[in-house]
Amino acid sequence: MELRPAFRMNGFLMLSVLVAVVAAASAVAAVCIGAGADKGNAGAFAVAGVAALIGISALLALSGLVIVNPNEARVIQFFGRYIGSVSEPGFFWTVPLTDRRRISLRVRNFETQKLKVNDADGNPVEIAAVVVYKAVDSFKAAFAVDDYEQYVETQSEAAVRHLATIHPYDAHDDDRTSLRDGKEIAEELTAELRDRTEMAGIEVLEARITHLAYAPEIAQAMLVRQQAAQVVAARTRIVEGAVGMVGLALERLTDQGMVELDEERKAAMVSNLLVVLCGDRPTQPVVNTGTLYN
């Protein structure tokens, strides 16, 4: 079975017809009962009974009236059998004596709990995500799973756990995707959740990581590691720039012929320039004024 539209008619029109039928049947039954009582006519009582039966049937038919709100669907069941869904908002009349389950088609969102998971490198991390979704198939949402809202929440937590186990918190190689790569991780999480929730008639619009941190027991150690990595990266950049500046200075001096430097003096100049450029403290210049003789 699959989603299909249920039989329906204009509710205002059917309400007018049924009210008129009930009123007419009541009037006919009252007249026939009065005539039968005065004249003892059995046929009048029979007509009154038929009119009463028609009136009761019209009253039962009133149970087929249903109101469908915007962004809402009604799943219609007739004594346990699925006969269709009504997704168009308005006032309708459908098959009487049916069960009409309400399914919301509005966009919903929720945030998962903070989950503690080991990442791809084995480091414990805390992670949470927000999921935006809506029901697009009222039949599957009503019958494929017991509770589609709970189903989405459970599958979202499972997808977040799986995502955290296959990616590291920090990617030390360029060819690896880390949990901190927001766009790539969001696309991967959204795609996985769509596959997991399709059978429940759910469309996942967006899924994003909202909380990501190392677990408290290793947070301080990882902070020191990150700081050390940043210091090493900064020092590497400084050394690369200093070497380039020293090479440029020697090249300019040689091209312009300002001073002749032998290999020993070049080495001394390179050493001094590297100390000045790479040092993390201000340098103290030493001025050579020559030798003082008495």
Side-chain angles (χ1 to χ4, degrees):
M1 297 180 64
E2 59 184 11
L3 179 67
R4 63 173 181 264
F7 167 77
R8 64 185 184 274
M9 296 179 63
N10 186 285
F12 295 103
L13 175 62
M14 287 302 300
L15 178 62
S16 302
V17 172
L18 293 176
V19 169
V21 170
V22 171
S26 300
V28 171
V31 171
C32 292
I33 291 175
D38 293 339
K39 302 179 180 180
N41 188 349
F45 286 107
V47 173
V50 172
L53 184 60
I54 293 175
I56 294 173
S57 299
L59 289 175
L60 291 176
L62 289 173
S63 64
L65 296 173
V66 59
I67 298 175
V68 182
N69 298 319
N71 282 330
E72 179 184 280
R74 290 297 188 100
V75 179
I76 312 298
Q77 287 179 267
F78 184 68
F79 292 98
R81 181 182 179 183
Y82 173 70
I83 61 175
S85 300
V86 180
S87 302
E88 181 183 352
F91 183 45
F92 302 100
W93 181 84
T94 184
V95 180
L97 303 178
T98 53
D99 178 37
R100 296 177 285 273
R101 180 176 175 180
R102 187 194 307 268
I103 299 294
S104 175
L105 304 180
R106 296 181 178 91
V107 176
R108 301 185 177 192
N109 71 92
F110 79 98
E111 187 174 8
T112 64
Q113 298 180 356
K114 293 181 181 179
L115 307 175
K116 187 176 180 180
V117 192
N118 289 338
D119 68 356
D121 292 336
N123 299 317
V125 298
E126 292 181 347
I127 186 171
V130 61
V131 180
V132 182
Y133 71 97
K134 67 176 182 178
V136 295
D137 190 320
S138 58
F139 172 76
K140 291 182 179 180
F143 301 112
V145 294
D146 184 44
D147 185 341
Y148 73 90
E149 295 180 15
Q150 184 64 36
Y151 179 82
V152 172
E153 293 181 8
T154 303
Q155 293 300 322
S156 298
E157 293 186 358
V160 171
R161 286 183 181 274
H162 177 256
L163 187 72
T165 58
I166 62 176
H167 293 291
Y169 182 93
D170 276 317
H172 304 289
D173 300 328
D174 294 337
D175 58 344
R176 300 181 69 187
T177 301
S178 73
L179 294 173
R180 302 173 67 181
D181 297 330
K183 183 178 180 181
E184 292 80 2
I185 292 298
E187 292 176 352
E188 185 174 343
L189 180 59
T190 302
E192 181 172 350
L193 276 174
R194 285 174 178 169
D195 294 337
R196 289 173 175 263
T197 59
E198 183 180 3
M199 64 172 295
I202 302 299
E203 179 186 359
V204 176
L205 304 177
E206 183 183 21
R208 290 186 177 274
I209 301 298
T210 56
H211 174 79
L212 180 64
Y214 282 113
E217 59 267 25
I218 67 165
Q220 186 61 36
M222 289 301 169
L223 178 61
V224 173
R225 178 180 176 180
Q226 290 177 349
Q227 291 175 343
Q230 295 298 324
V231 170
V232 170
R235 288 294 180 183
T236 302
R237 189 69 176 270
I238 291 174
V239 171
E240 291 177 353
V243 171
M245 293 174 66
V246 170
L248 179 61
L250 293 175
E251 183 180 353
R252 289 288 183 86
L253 289 174
T254 302
D255 293 342
Q256 297 179 9
M258 297 178 61
V259 63
E260 294 291 336
L261 298 175
D262 56 17
E263 295 300 325
E264 183 178 354
R265 291 185 177 181
K266 285 183 179 180
M269 180 179 177
V270 169
S271 176
N272 292 335
L273 286 175
L274 287 177
V275 169
V276 172
L277 296 174
C278 298
D280 57 353
R281 296 180 181 179
T283 57
Q284 298 293 332
V286 177
V287 180
N288 187 3
T289 60
T291 303
L292 179 64
Y293 295 96
N294 291 328

